Amino acid sequence: MTISSMTGFARADASANGLSWTWEARSVNGRGLDVRLRMPPGYEALEIPAREAVAKRLARGNVSLSLSIEKQQTNGAIRLNEQVLADVIKAAERVSALSGASQPDAAQFLMIKGVLEAADQAQEDADARAARERAMTETLEVALDRLGEARRSEGARLEIIIIEQISQIDQLAESVRASRSRTPDAIKARIKDAVGRLIDATSTLDDDRLYQEAVLIATRADVEEELQRLSAHVASARDILNERGAVGRKLDFLAQEFNREANTLCSKANAVDVTRLGLQLKTVIDQFREQVQNVE
């Protein structure tokens, strides 16, 4: 199964009943799943379904959702808000009774804000509002599905790079294993040379001390354990890439394990070619870790 990146962008738009809206969804790297929403005032009811929709589709990443809304052009129809007019007339009658002033005429009543309103500003009932919010949530789900596709597409490109890096790690480890400096004769020669320098440096070393020094030198010359662990980590990385779901944390952990073995190998290296291969190994592992930081 193709891995998913945590980086992506998508949008979706729709319209109904004189309104058009657009959802934009962006995601970048994150340790967990963090959702941030930006919506116009009055649409707070969409927050919970929006977060639930993200959680159903994504496991990791910093996700930003933004909703923008525009009123569509209407045919200019107007509506008399009879309730507002009735309240205004009642207030005018009261003012006239208290002050003796004459009441406004019909034209003046119509000039009062709220008495006349555009047809698309009519008060929306609860059912109509719920239907609009459902439609907006459905549009968000479309945007999130597209975001998931974008993340999988980016993940497919990432996977090619990561597979190549794992292969490079494997090849470099095999090159260390095949190094002539690791043959028994080469190791014996280095031990003999090191012990010879110790004897030349001091005459107080007894046989037991010389034996201990020889064992220490031989142990430092042996990187077989590190090579075996590197091979095991390579196999684990390949298995993880075949798993379903979010695997980024597992790959990040393996990157740390790779780095630990490479550091130990470099510290033990006492031959120029092994040191060179170890440094190349560390470079590839650093690149590997940078890439897996993007994996969900």
Side-chain angles (χ1 to χ4, degrees), residues 23-26 33-41 43-55 62-68 136-137 140 144:
W23 282 100
E24 290 189 349
R26 293 177 172 83
L33 181 61
D34 182 23
V35 182
R36 299 181 182 182
L37 294 101
R38 186 161 57 90
M39 298 181 294
Y43 290 85
E44 292 78 8
L46 294 174
E47 180 172 351
I48 292 177
R51 292 184 182 278
E52 291 175 347
V54 174
N62 291 325
V63 181
S64 298
L65 303 178
S66 64
L67 171 65
S68 58
M136 288 181 170
T137 301
L140 171 61
L144 290 174

Side-chain angles (χ1 to χ4, degrees), residues 149-185:
E149 292 171 4
R151 285 165 53 123
R152 285 188 292 274
S153 177
E154 176 64 19
R157 290 189 286 271
L158 270 179
E159 187 171 21
I160 294 172
I161 296 171
I162 290 172
I163 288 173
E164 175 59 27
Q165 290 170 338
I166 293 171
S167 296
Q168 290 179 36
I169 293 170
D170 195 21
Q171 291 166 8
L172 287 167
E174 286 302 316
S175 296
V176 173
R177 182 174 280 112
S179 170
R180 291 183 179 180
S181 65
R182 296 190 65 250
T183 63
D185 289 342

Side-chain angles (χ1 to χ4, degrees), residues 132-152:
R132 176 165 51 80
E133 290 174 351
R134 284 195 299 271
M136 288 181 170
T137 301
E138 290 171 359
T139 307
L140 171 61
E141 291 175 346
V142 172
L144 290 174
D145 287 341
R146 291 173 181 173
L147 177 64
E149 292 171 4
R151 285 165 53 123
R152 285 188 292 274

